[in-house]
Amino acid sequence: MREINAYFHIMKGTAYEVGKQQAVWLKEHPWLKKQYIQTEPLAKEAVKETKQLLRLYLPQLDEEIAGFCDELQLDDTYLTFYHSSHLQPGCSHCVMQGKKTADQKTVMLRNYDFSPMFDDMRLVTTHMKGLAFHTGSSLLLFGRSDGMNEHGLSVTFSACGPPIGNEPGLKPPAVAGLQVYHVIRFVLEHCETVEDAIRSIQEMPVASNVHLMLADRKGEAAAIEMIDGQKAVRRPEHGYIAATNHPLADQTAIGLTKHHSVVRYQMLIKALEEQRSSESLVELFQTEYPNGLTVHNYEELFGTMRTVMFHPEEGTLEYCFGSPVYNPTYSLKAGGTLPFHKHKVQFHQKDYGPSFWKNV
């Protein structure tokens, strides 16, 4: 067992002021700089191209990153955010609509599985002038990997096949476009409903291969499967929808399905078909594989980094840093705060054998 710090950070103000607050936070945690700042710069032309693409959807990032770099006296070509954006991990997630739950309220649950070596381990609340406030998991400081905004719109993602990226071991992108953490931040800051989000995402060039799941305050839900630039929208047929890490809409995708993904998906669908209570679903997300959805294989980049339960109608979320088998869960409202800025998270390593990674 080892312990790693997790963080909560609330930021308010203009984009430039939020950027400076990010930099001040990083100054207070200097050992994290190597995670966000490269030793060698990215070519200025590559940064320029990335900025031009992001500016269409996240125009405030120019000012936010300017504030960050001004505070650190840093050239933005050194930002890991741009290195990874110039073109992610395993997860289980589902939505059970209100008509299927005992209290008639929609719930969205997600496990995010990867490694603490490649995760911010940071939940942030962002109140930026002119944009919807939101609470979500930060990725490379400026991106988001999940979250809920002031309208109750909630969004999560899971990799669909091998994750896309420029880093060693990741699949090179088949098309030029945005990474999923750009898309999620856009949705949280600009959209109010599932339909708003779907319309926006359909117009975006997206390089990531992912399932992106959405739920809103009206009880609507959808999942968008994106593979090599193609997008397919799935909607709940029986009051629920789920995804793990293999294609579901595109049955022609070959070689993208792992044994563990099928096992987790079938387990999740069975629970949803049985119309279990939200408490029973939470228990499934908090139980270790193969009896549940939590996994502890961090050395092979497949360990549960967080478990989140979203309540769109109420505008609240329940958030666990790390595996829920070993760590507590905290409740807060979207746009709200936690009672700490840093706390220790326990990680326990376990290998699940060769069948876990078997192609099916």
Side-chain angles (χ1 to χ4, degrees):
M1 188 272 287
R2 58 175 174 157
E3 289 187 328
I4 294 176
N5 286 326
Y7 305 91
F8 174 77
H9 191 193
I10 185 166
M11 300 171 287
K12 297 182 179 181
T14 64
Y16 186 83
E17 290 165 346
V18 166
K20 289 180 74 69
Q21 290 165 32
Q22 296 250 57
V24 169
W25 178 85
L26 192 57
K27 284 182 178 180
E28 295 169 351
H29 306 87
W31 57 91
L32 297 176
K33 284 188 176 181
K34 63 181 180 181
Q35 188 169 335
Y36 304 116
I37 299 172
Q38 300 286 310
T39 56
E40 297 293 331
L42 187 64
K44 287 187 178 295
E45 189 59 33
V47 172
K48 180 181 177 181
E49 291 174 4
T50 303
K51 284 182 177 181
Q52 288 173 341
L53 176 61
L54 292 176
R55 198 170 288 137
L56 296 173
Y57 304 99
L58 298 168
Q60 83 282 0
L61 274 181
D62 279 352
E63 284 298 304
E64 185 177 345
I65 289 174
F68 179 85
C69 290
D70 285 352
E71 180 68 27
L72 291 178
Q73 297 183 327
L74 176 75
D75 191 286
D76 62 8
T77 57
Y78 286 88
L79 291 179
T80 301
F81 180 76
Y82 283 138
H83 281 249
S84 295
S85 297
H86 189 66
L87 328 163
Q88 164 101 313
C91 308
S92 307
H93 48 162
C94 71
V95 177
M96 185 161 61
Q97 294 176 296
K99 57 189 175 185
K100 285 288 184 180
T101 61
D103 60 4
Q104 300 293 293
K105 293 182 178 179
T106 297
V107 293
M108 173 189 274
L109 294 111
R110 75 100 94 253
N111 276 358
Y112 180 88
D113 306 311
F114 205 27
S115 165
M117 294 173 58
F118 302 104
D119 191 78
D120 287 11
M121 292 291 292
R122 192 172 73 127
L123 179 65
V124 299
T125 286
T126 308
H127 293 257
M128 191 176 289
K129 187 176 180 181
L131 300 171
F133 67 71
H134 67 276
T135 297
S137 307
S138 79
L139 192 54
L140 296 175
L141 295 180
F142 306 104
R144 302 289 181 267
S145 64
D146 54 50
M148 175 188 283
N149 69 15
E150 63 183 275
H151 307 292
L153 181 62
S154 306
V155 57
T156 66
F157 89 98
S158 63
C160 185
I164 300 296
N166 296 320
E167 293 77 10
L170 299 184
K171 180 184 175 183
V175 297
L178 302 166
Q179 283 277 31
V180 66
Y181 46 84
H182 307 138
V183 177
I184 291 175
R185 179 156 183 181
F186 176 91
V187 168
L188 291 171
E189 292 182 331
H190 294 276
C191 300
E192 296 187 17
T193 67
V194 167
E195 294 307 317
D196 289 344
I198 290 173
R199 283 193 294 269
S200 296
I201 294 167
Q202 291 283 35
E203 297 175 358
M204 294 179 177
V206 182
S208 299
N209 287 357
V210 296
H211 296 284
L212 195 146
M213 195 164 291
L214 302 153
D216 66 24
R217 188 165 285 162
K218 298 192 298 184
E220 297 300 320
I224 307 176
E225 182 176 299
M226 296 180 260
I227 300 178
D228 294 342
Q230 301 300 309
K231 306 184 186 85
V233 178
R234 294 192 299 124
R235 298 180 185 274
E237 295 182 1
H238 306 288
Y240 55 81
I241 193 165
T244 50
N245 301 116
H246 61 279
L248 296 166
D250 183 359
Q251 298 300 317
T252 66
I254 304 299
L256 299 181
T257 303
K258 298 292 184 182
H259 175 71
H260 65 77
S261 184
V262 174
V263 170
R264 289 181 292 115
Y265 182 73
Q266 291 175 344
M267 193 186 315
L268 193 46
I269 289 297
K270 181 181 178 182
L272 291 164
E273 287 175 345
E274 293 174 353
Q275 300 181 31
R276 296 188 190 179
S277 65
S278 57
E279 291 78 12
S280 296
L281 275 175
V282 170
E283 184 177 350
L284 182 65
F285 275 80
Q286 294 178 339
T287 300
E288 187 174 4
Y289 182 91
N291 299 313
L293 299 171
T294 293
V295 289
H296 298 134
N297 193 351
Y298 299 100
E299 290 181 1
E300 293 186 306
L301 309 185
F302 212 104
T304 297
M305 299 299 304
R306 52 186 161 272
T307 298
V308 193
M309 184 175 184
F310 299 91
H311 304 276
E313 284 99 337
E314 299 170 359
T316 61
L317 54 155
E318 297 171 37
Y319 196 99
C320 174
F321 293 96
S323 164
V325 175
Y326 300 108
N327 298 284
T329 296
Y330 300 91
S331 298
L332 73 161
K333 292 187 74 68
T337 65
L338 286 176
F340 60 82
H341 295 292
K342 178 169 68 175
H343 88 115
K344 296 289 186 181
V345 178
Q346 289 189 22
F347 289 92
H348 297 251
Q349 167 63 25
K350 184 174 180 179
D351 189 326
Y352 298 95
S355 66
F356 188 81
W357 294 108
K358 183 175 65 176
N359 285 318
V360 296

